[in-house]
Amino acid sequence: MSFDLHTHSEFSDGTDSPAQLMKSAEAAGLAGIAVVDHDTTDGWPAFAAARPAALTLIRGTELSTHVRAAGRRVSVHLLAYLFDPAAPALVRELQRLRRDRLERGMAIVERMVAAGVPISRQQVLDIAGDAPVGRPHIGRALMEQSLVDTVSEAFATYLSPAGPYYVHKSDMALLDAIDLVRHAGGVPVVAHPRSRGAARITDERRLREWVDHGLAGIEVDHPDHGPADREQLRDIASRIGILVTGASDYHGTNKPIRIGQESSDGDVVAALAAESSGRTPVLGPAR
Ligand code: AMP
Ligand code: FE
Ligand code: FE
Ligand code: ZN
């Protein structure tokens, strides 16, 4: 039984509707999925409504956080599973992040417009719809204008942090985010710890510190991770005694990744459920 514990829908920067996402999961032979749209729980009711009876569903979100290391801010993504979506402190923070994403997305578009790139604020807003604005929405606008062929190409060019249009996204400190998730009854897991900048700082010492603050696990099997990182992370996790997850970080057609490309076993799902307060249940067949 395989579970893909990190997928995105059109409620953030994926391209699948809830129904399409469930269909993709079933077609891949998955027993279940977790949907973790960035900075929002807006899709939760729709995911529950679209869930086929045989598919297990875990609802969560993915938060962008930072860790200060050697005087620099390093970006670390945090998966939050099975928390209470009405927890006031978390709701406030999600609202703030969404406002900041809108301002930041529009600031990136303004820079492009000022440089003569033929896209518009309205175009990006139409593409994002009700979702928190992310760079993939801008990437799709660039695609619509035939300026790039894929969203990945946009990330390598126009949307690159090293490029002239990049604007920093606001986030929260990792330890604050872990607190927020735990206080909402949820289960915090570091997403793709060896991806990009995070790779430099996700050593055993720091992971132990984060676990002391309430971190429950780390994503080990992820498309960004090579064999050496996976082995190292697995060793660290077994020494510390934390959860190890596997997941594809599926974004529909925004990323060249198949749903279920990486996955977790049923015992990981059971462990996530056991660590949560139970206010948000795992939906579907018990495994
Ligand atoms: P942002 O959060 O606005 O800075 O945009 C980064 C997000 O874009 C991350 O969640 C990535 O997973 C997502 N993303 C979607 N498609 C791609 C892609 N083709 N290349 C890189 N990142 C992507
Ligand atoms: Fe994303
Ligand atoms: Fe991420
Ligand atoms: Zn993700």
Side-chain angles (χ1 to χ4, degrees):
M1 290 284 194
S2 300
F3 300 81
D4 188 337
L5 297 181
H6 186 164
T7 73
H8 297 271
S9 81
E10 65 183 8
F11 278 87
S12 65
D13 59 3
T15 55
D16 280 10
S17 67
Q20 285 167 333
L21 186 58
M22 305 296 155
K23 243 174 121 173
S24 308
E26 282 193 309
L30 288 166
I33 55 169
V35 195
V36 290
D37 280 314
H38 300 278
D39 304 330
T40 182
T41 60
D42 284 357
W44 285 23
F47 303 136
R51 183 185 66 80
L55 197 79
T56 295
L57 173 65
I58 289 175
R59 289 168 297 173
T61 188
E62 182 175 10
L63 300 165
S64 301
T65 77
H66 69 264
V67 173
R68 282 184 198 285
R72 293 175 59 184
R73 288 162 68 109
V74 179
S75 168
V76 174
H77 287 183
L78 187 71
L79 300 169
Y81 296 110
L82 301 170
F83 56 87
D84 175 3
L90 190 64
V91 168
R92 274 197 303 277
E93 188 61 20
L94 293 181
Q95 281 167 348
R96 182 184 76 84
L97 291 169
R98 169 185 291 254
R99 275 197 307 274
D100 287 351
R101 274 181 169 279
L102 175 62
E103 274 180 30
R104 177 262 198 162
M106 292 302 103
I108 294 175
V109 172
E110 283 307 323
R111 287 189 174 199
M112 290 183 179
V113 169
V117 179
I119 62 167
S120 73
R121 294 166 65 111
Q122 193 54 49
Q123 185 182 10
V124 172
L125 292 175
D126 288 344
I127 291 167
D130 291 329
V133 177
R135 279 182 289 160
H137 301 120
I138 304 172
R140 293 207 84 84
L142 295 165
M143 260 174 84
E144 278 184 5
Q145 301 305 113
S146 302
L147 296 164
V148 294
D149 289 331
T150 62
V151 172
S152 295
E153 186 190 336
F155 265 89
T157 55
Y158 292 90
L159 297 172
S160 163
Y165 312 117
Y166 188 77
V167 176
H168 180 77
K169 184 175 68 191
S170 93
D171 56 17
M172 62 186 118
L174 175 66
L175 297 184
D176 291 345
I178 290 173
D179 274 349
L180 210 55
V181 173
R182 284 291 190 183
H183 279 119
V187 190
V189 172
V190 169
H192 44 78
R194 290 294 165 88
S195 163
R196 285 154 286 188
R200 289 186 290 115
I201 63 157
T202 46
D203 53 17
E204 182 160 351
R205 181 183 66 80
R206 286 209 184 78
L207 284 167
R208 280 189 187 276
E209 182 194 330
W210 303 344
V211 169
D212 288 343
H213 272 83
L215 182 70
I218 52 176
E219 202 173 53
V220 171
D221 293 316
H222 182 280
D224 287 359
H225 292 169
D229 278 325
R230 294 179 194 217
E231 197 184 316
Q232 238 187 52
L233 288 170
R234 240 181 258 288
D235 285 348
I236 294 173
S238 75
R239 279 198 294 273
I240 311 183
I242 52 171
L243 275 173
V244 163
T245 70
S248 70
D249 207 351
Y250 175 72
H251 280 73
T253 59
N254 276 347
K255 261 188 176 178
I257 279 166
R258 283 173 295 110
I259 194 169
Q261 185 174 321
E262 312 275 358
S263 60
S264 307
D265 294 335
D267 54 352
V268 179
V269 173
L272 290 175
E275 285 251 351
S276 87
S277 68
R279 266 171 292 181
T280 293
V282 175
L283 298 178
R287 310 282 173 178

